Amino acid sequence: MNVLVRGVSYYVEVVGEGEPLLLLHGFTGSVQTWYPFLSEWKERKLVMIDIIGHGKTDSPDDIDRYTIESVAIDLYELLKQLGIEKVDVLGYSMGGRLALTFAIRYPQCVRMLILESSSPGLKTEEERNIRRKSDEVLAIMIEQYGVAAFVEKWEQLPLFATQKQLPFEQQENIRRERLSHSAKGLANSLRGMGTGNQPSWWEHLTSLSIPTLLLCGEWDEKFCQIALEMKERLPNAKLLKISHAGHAIHVEQPKIFAKIVNEFIEKGGKENGD
């Protein structure tokens, strides 16, 4: 279904009954990211959305509508329209940054937080400037050469190297999902919601008492280090490093990922171990 939120039409799928779990995909993802887990999390009400600029959600011209804080407001308004007051939130990569932003801005709305391969943003303005410039280069490339050329380049990033071990059919499914977006949507998402454009939430972590699960793949050294630093600051966080996985744990170790998420939610964020 489509839900109009502050002038933007969001594509939303709500599946199942039970405690609501809001699912936020990564850059170039969509609601399809979560389809393999529908049977695994069948005891929950799964709220899946295409984040602005992705899938069947609008891709407006105004870059300000893509900022992570603006989209966090959209999530709040969207959940209100769906009649959901409190929700567990799971976010992957870009979706994890959005999930953390939402939890910081609306802690009263979040029961538990699960962050897969994510970060609180970059620590310094210098780092953010460098990232904004590189994201702008990518955005221009998407506009000039199209989504297919961009996806070809995107798939060669070291971040996704471990996905080349996946079966061919699975790699093709991921590629089709990435190719399903518009050039305008992806370019504007990079400009508005890119890591270089979001505030740094590092100093806010100490005040976030929501039970939080941090997940990283053992082959993703950069994000495992970020997760370790986050755990040291978050007062109620657990960190799990998943064996034989890189950045996209949900793709590379889906059964383990599904089980961990289920157990964390069922136990109320307790007894997961570090």
Side-chain angles (χ1 to χ4, degrees), residues 151-197:
V151 168
E152 184 70 29
K153 180 182 176 68
W154 187 250
E155 290 176 339
Q156 302 310 312
L157 292 177
L159 195 66
F160 304 118
T162 55
Q163 292 184 19
K164 293 179 181 177
Q165 301 174 29
L166 295 171
F168 177 77
E169 184 179 349
Q170 196 172 0
Q171 291 187 52
E172 284 299 299
N173 287 338
I174 295 169
R175 182 172 293 115
R176 278 194 293 271
E177 184 180 17
R178 288 170 172 161
L179 290 170
S180 67
H181 310 292
S182 71
K184 181 170 75 169
L186 292 185
N188 285 351
S189 179
L190 278 172
R191 291 182 174 115
M193 205 186 291
T195 313
N197 203 43

Side-chain angles (χ1 to χ4, degrees), residues 94-267:
M94 178 190 78
R97 291 189 289 107
L98 176 57
L100 180 59
T101 303
F102 181 71
I104 288 170
R105 289 302 191 204
Y106 301 99
Q108 75 279 8
C109 297
V110 181
R111 195 174 71 104
M112 282 182 285
L113 187 60
I114 303 170
L115 304 177
E116 176 196 358
S117 305
S118 194
S119 86
L122 299 168
K123 293 177 180 176
T124 68
E125 185 57 34
E126 182 182 5
E127 289 176 297
R128 288 191 288 276
N129 276 331
I130 292 170
R131 183 57 181 267
R132 278 195 293 269
K133 289 175 183 176
S134 66
D135 281 347
E136 179 60 25
V137 170
L138 282 177
I140 291 171
M141 176 196 172
I142 295 171
E143 291 170 334
Q144 288 184 343
Y145 299 104
V147 173
F150 167 72
V151 168
E152 184 70 29
K153 180 182 176 68
W154 187 250
E155 290 176 339
Q156 302 310 312
L157 292 177
L159 195 66
F160 304 118
T162 55
Q163 292 184 19
K164 293 179 181 177
Q165 301 174 29
L166 295 171
F168 177 77
E169 184 179 349
Q170 196 172 0
Q171 291 187 52
E172 284 299 299
N173 287 338
I174 295 169
R175 182 172 293 115
R176 278 194 293 271
E177 184 180 17
R178 288 170 172 161
L179 290 170
S180 67
H181 310 292
S182 71
K184 181 170 75 169
L186 292 185
N188 285 351
S189 179
L190 278 172
R191 291 182 174 115
M193 205 186 291
T195 313
N197 203 43
Q198 80 159 69
S200 171
W201 300 128
W202 283 99
E203 299 306 318
H204 294 256
L205 297 182
T206 53
S207 61
L208 191 65
S209 59
I210 297 163
T212 302
L213 177 61
L214 304 170
L215 298 175
C216 68
E218 67 166 337
W219 297 328
D220 188 6
E221 294 180 8
K222 174 184 174 181
F223 279 87
C224 280
Q225 180 58 41
I226 290 171
L228 184 60
E229 290 184 44
M230 290 176 70
K231 183 185 179 298
E232 292 171 352
R233 301 194 188 204
L234 286 162
N236 194 7
K238 299 182 182 300
L239 167 60
L240 290 178
K241 185 185 291 188
I242 312 304
S243 300
H244 305 293
H247 194 65
I249 304 162
H250 65 281
V251 170
E252 297 173 52
Q253 294 292 345
K255 291 292 183 184
I256 293 170
F257 179 78
K259 183 173 182 289
I260 288 170
V261 170
N262 257 338
E263 289 181 352
F264 182 75
I265 293 175
E266 285 170 3
K267 294 175 180 177

